[in-house]
Amino acid sequence: YKTQKRIDFAKRSLINGDLDNYSMEGIASRSGFNSRANFFIVFKKETGETPMAFLKKNQIKHQQADVED
C-alpha cells in the first residue's frame, strides 16, 4: 500500500510537472524512495515502464491535447 502511494505520487508529479526542477534522484527521494535504482525498479514493476518512458509518453499526450484545443 505504501509503495503504491509513493508510485502514485511520482506519477502525478511527473504528469503535472511538479518536480520538473528535480533530477530523477530528487524525484525518487521526494517520492519516498532511498535510491534512484530502487525507484526505477519499483516504478517499472508497478507501471510496466521506466519513469523516463512514463514521463515522455505523458508529455506527448499533453502536447497532443494542447494542439487539439
Side-chain angles (χ1 to χ4, degrees):
Y1 174 77
K2 197 176 208 181
T3 299
Q4 188 59 51
K5 288 196 77 82
R6 290 175 178 171
I7 294 298
D8 288 344
F9 172 81
K11 286 170 39 179
R12 277 193 313 275
S13 297
L14 289 167
I15 289 170
N16 295 335
D18 296 341
L19 302 177
D20 282 353
N21 295 327
Y22 288 85
S23 64
M24 275 298 156
E25 289 82 4
I27 293 170
S29 177
R30 298 281 298 174
S31 300
F33 292 90
N34 60 4
S35 75
R36 178 182 183 267
N38 188 46
F39 173 57
F40 272 55
I41 290 166
V42 174
F43 194 97
K44 186 165 185 174
K45 180 182 175 190
E46 295 292 323
T47 66
E49 55 196 353
T50 66
M52 292 301 294
F54 177 85
L55 177 60
K56 191 173 191 176
K57 179 179 79 177
N58 283 285
Q59 284 176 333
I60 291 169
K61 284 182 182 178
H62 275 97
Q63 289 170 352
Q64 289 173 343
D66 289 344
V67 169
E68 291 174 3
D69 287 342

